[in-house]
Each structure stands twice: as C-alpha cells, then as structure tokens.
Amino acid sequence: MTALAHGVGTQHDLPISPFYAYAGAFAALLVSFLALGLLWSDSRFRGDRSGRPLPAALQRLADARATRTALRALGAAGLLAVVLALLLGPAGPEHNPAPGAVYVLLWVGLVPASLLLGPVGRLCSPLRALYSLRSLLPARRRPPRPPRPLPAGLGIRPAAAGLLVFTWLELVAPERASATALLVFLAAHTAVHLLGAARHGPEWFARADPFEVYSALLARLSPLGRRADGRLVLRNPLHGLDSTPPVPGLVATVCVLLGSTAYDGFSDSPRWIAAVQTSPLGRTAAATLGLLAAVALVAVLYCLSAGALRLLNRRIDHPLTAFAHSLLPIALGYLVAHYFSLFVTEGPRTVMVALGTDNAAAPAPPLTPGGLAALQVTAIVTGHVLGVVAAHDRAVRLFPPARAVAGQLPLFVLMIAYTLGGIGLLIA
C-alpha cells in the first residue's frame, strides 16, 4: 500500500469540470450572500440558550457515572489494543490494524462521531481514564498539591500545537505508518498530557488535548448539545455553532485544520512529489515547510480579513475571534471532501484486519468517481455557505444596521478565496 498523502491510503484526481465547479460554487456563495443581506436583518441564533430538551430519563442515562466510566474505559481499551498491536503485531498497515485505527478510525472517525453524538473525544478520552486512576495509587504522606490554574490567555493554543504535530506525523513524517513512529507519538502524547493534567487538573485536557478539542469544535455542529443550564437538547446545529466560545487559540486551531487539509489536497500531486523528492533540503524538510506554509497562508488570509473588518467597525474589539466560528463549517467541508473516500474504504479494511483477516483488501468505494466528485464539491460549497450564514448572523449582531452587509464583505471575499482554492485542490 502506498502511503503518500495520508498515514494510510491514497487519493486520486477526480473527473470534475473546472468551469461548472467554479461557477456553481461562486453562484451559490453570491446568491447566499445577497439573500442574507435582503432577508436576514436581525440575529436569529441563540447559541447555548436554544434547543428542545430531550427526555429526562435519557439525560440521566447520559450523565450517569456508570455511563461516563464505561465510555472512558472503552477509550482506554482502544488505546491499549492499538499499543499491543504495535508492539506484538506484524509490520505494515496491510497486516496490522493499528495505523488504520489511528489515522482513519480515530482521526477521521471523530468527524462523523462528533457530528452525530457530540463531544465524544472527551467522553471516550483514554487520557482522562488514565488520569482518573490516580485515585488508586497508594496514599502519599503529604496531601497532593491543588491544581495550578492555566493562564486565561493560553486558551486552546496547546491543542492547536498538538494538532499541527499530529498532522505533521500523518502527512509528512517518514515511515509514518511504522510501529516505531506511532509508538513514539503515542508515548510522548500520553506522557505530555498526563503530566500537564497532574499539574493543572482535568481542565488541561479540555484546552490542550488536540483530539478532545478537535472533537469538541466539530460537536458545535451536532444536533445534540447542551444548553447553558446543562440540559441535553436537540438543536439547530447553527445555534450550536454560534455558541462556540471565542477563546484564544480558536483561530490557530481552525487554521491548522484548514491548512493541513489543504496541504493534504496538493501533497500527492505529481508536481509536488517531484519537487519534494528533488529538493536540496531533503524530502522531510521540504514537506514540513510546505505544511507550515499552507497553514500560514490560511492564517494570513484570515488575519487580513479580520483587519479589514476592524477598519470598517472600530467597536469590534476582537475581530479575529469574533468571526472565527464561521470557519468551522468550512473546515468540516474540507474534511468531508478529502477524507470521505479514505474513511469508507480504509475504515472497513482496518476493522477486517483487526478481526483477523490477513492482508484484507479495502472494499470498493460506494460512489462512482463522478458521484464522489459531486460529493466533494458539494461538501466544500455547503461548508462555505454555512460559514457565510454564521458570519452574517454575527455581523448583524455586531455591526450597525447600515453597515451589516458592507461590513462583512472582507469575510465574503475570504470565503470565495477559500472556496475556489478548495475546489482547485480537488481538480488540480
């Protein structure tokens, strides 16, 4: 199996008409923007104050200690199974399910799981399960020190850094599917976060564990959510998106998701592969610079847009975080477009290998190349349209009525650029 663009699996060009793809995307964004400007003059999203309560019995089951313990035990068992497979199993993703479990079932599988069930990264966290075992350690002579609070300005920046490290491992690192690479990553990841939690308490995981933060952000677009009063509710996912807290590091986290997925889109193109292989810096260094450049480009474009927003309305104190939530649907669209095929083929193959099928072949994709192309373009365009809706609702809340439409033009231009760039990566 070739592992160029992902830890496992490959991606190929799709039969998309550039004219129809670009024209359709631009028309969808323009019509959405104009319709919102004419018909949406007041903010309609209520964030964590919205939602229809689910039955009390269902909430009691979801909040029961036994349920939470069972879910974390399941996560810990999954981590243990991966480690044992890496230590004792055969080499190579063709025969060993561990690489597929990490790169497909965990990384890609968190997307549909979080969209359907909410923040499963926290609920099934093996790190939280291991941290909870501290109570089983023999009592020490001196009482444990109280957790040291994390600086408020730190936000989720550690999670953004962790996501960048993992995407580097997935997309750049040599021998990324080898047992050695994965064991080193899992050991370092576990040690860093358990030490962080020992110093700062369980709040460390909510702000520093990349998989937990990744899942929690995607869960903002889930129809399942929590109101401000803690009630489990069904809601319009855009209300959940509006409740995304504007914490420091949110922009960095979303830019890592967008930039790494963009890099994934062009990293398996023949031109890029040839450039990396012939680079005087070496393959790994050149690919690392490419990944960092993709993330930096996404971030610079967003910062320029936020700066233009600030010039149009001086009353916006934090333009970077005020509209950062509108990038989440865009990131989701990119994730679906680039990883759907990988998930529906490599996911079942990984399960078959885990169940004992040696050298299992991946099942045929459920869609034809044309159908997959249509799905990918639709995912990207839909994500950007939802981003336009989220940004417009926030704009009419923050801008004076006379400036609500004109004030968000920088964001609209940015989303057009992101859309065209995302589609360009598919058809390049």
Side-chain angles (χ1 to χ4, degrees), residues 22-35:
Y22 286 128
F26 181 79
L29 288 176
L30 182 61
V31 170
S32 300
F33 180 75
L34 295 176

Side-chain angles (χ1 to χ4, degrees), residues 179-223:
T180 301
L182 286 170
L183 283 171
V184 169
F185 169 76
L186 290 174
H189 177 78
T190 302
V192 165
H193 291 290
L194 289 182
L195 289 173
R199 184 177 181 85
H200 299 287
E203 179 64 18
W204 169 267
F205 298 119
R207 295 169 64 179
D209 179 4
F211 300 108
E212 182 167 325
V213 171
Y214 172 59
S215 174
L217 289 177
L218 292 173
R220 294 289 173 180
L221 285 161
S222 171

Side-chain angles (χ1 to χ4, degrees), residues 151-310:
L154 186 65
I156 58 174
R157 290 191 178 100
L163 284 172
L164 184 59
V165 169
F166 180 79
T167 54
W168 178 88
L169 175 69
E170 181 206 12
L171 301 172
V172 174
E175 303 297 331
R176 67 206 72 170
S178 68
T180 301
L182 286 170
L183 283 171
V184 169
F185 169 76
L186 290 174
H189 177 78
T190 302
V192 165
H193 291 290
L194 289 182
L195 289 173
R199 184 177 181 85
H200 299 287
E203 179 64 18
W204 169 267
F205 298 119
R207 295 169 64 179
D209 179 4
F211 300 108
E212 182 167 325
V213 171
Y214 172 59
S215 174
L217 289 177
L218 292 173
R220 294 289 173 180
L221 285 161
S222 171
L224 284 175
R226 297 272 181 176
R227 280 195 323 217
D229 58 5
R231 192 67 189 271
L232 190 65
V233 296
L234 281 177
R235 65 187 180 189
N236 179 338
L238 290 175
H239 287 281
L241 178 65
D242 187 67
S243 70
T244 305
V247 295
L250 176 61
V251 174
T253 302
V254 180
C255 287
V256 168
L257 290 176
L258 285 170
S260 62
T261 309
Y263 175 79
D264 180 27
F266 69 78
S267 64
D268 64 342
S269 67
R271 289 183 180 179
W272 178 251
I273 293 173
V276 166
Q277 291 177 343
T278 59
S279 171
L281 299 174
R283 193 204 72 83
T284 301
T288 299
L289 290 177
L291 173 62
L292 295 177
V295 174
L297 178 62
V298 171
V300 167
L301 290 176
Y302 179 72
C303 290
L304 290 175
S305 174
L309 285 172
R310 181 72 173 84

Side-chain angles (χ1 to χ4, degrees), residues 312-408:
L312 292 173
N313 192 340
R314 297 287 184 178
R315 293 187 299 177
I316 299 181
D317 296 326
H318 304 286
L320 282 174
T321 54
F323 291 90
H325 70 297
S326 65
L327 299 183
L328 284 174
I330 299 173
L332 175 60
Y334 278 32
L335 290 168
V336 172
H338 286 277
Y339 291 118
F340 171 82
S341 182
L342 180 75
F343 184 66
V344 298
T345 55
E346 290 297 327
R349 193 200 68 81
T350 298
V351 174
M352 288 189 289
V353 173
L355 294 177
T357 304
D358 187 43
N359 201 20
L367 299 175
T368 65
L372 180 59
L375 172 68
Q376 292 182 313
V377 173
T378 300
I380 289 178
V381 174
T382 301
H384 284 80
V385 168
L386 293 178
V388 169
V389 173
H392 178 83
D393 188 86
R394 185 63 57 87
V396 298
R397 186 185 308 169
L398 297 179
F399 286 106
R403 297 184 181 180
V405 175
Q408 57 184 302

Side-chain angles (χ1 to χ4, degrees), residues 51-121:
R52 177 175 299 179
L54 290 171
L58 184 60
Q59 173 145 359
R60 286 195 297 269
L61 176 64
D63 292 340
R65 184 174 182 178
T67 302
R68 301 300 178 94
T69 302
L71 290 174
R72 287 180 183 167
L74 180 64
L79 175 61
L80 178 61
V82 168
V83 171
L84 290 177
L86 291 171
L87 290 173
L88 306 176
E94 300 89 349
H95 310 283
N96 194 315
V102 173
Y103 293 122
V104 181
L105 299 183
L106 171 62
W107 177 241
V108 184
L110 271 177
V111 177
S114 301
L115 290 177
L116 293 174
L117 303 174
V120 294

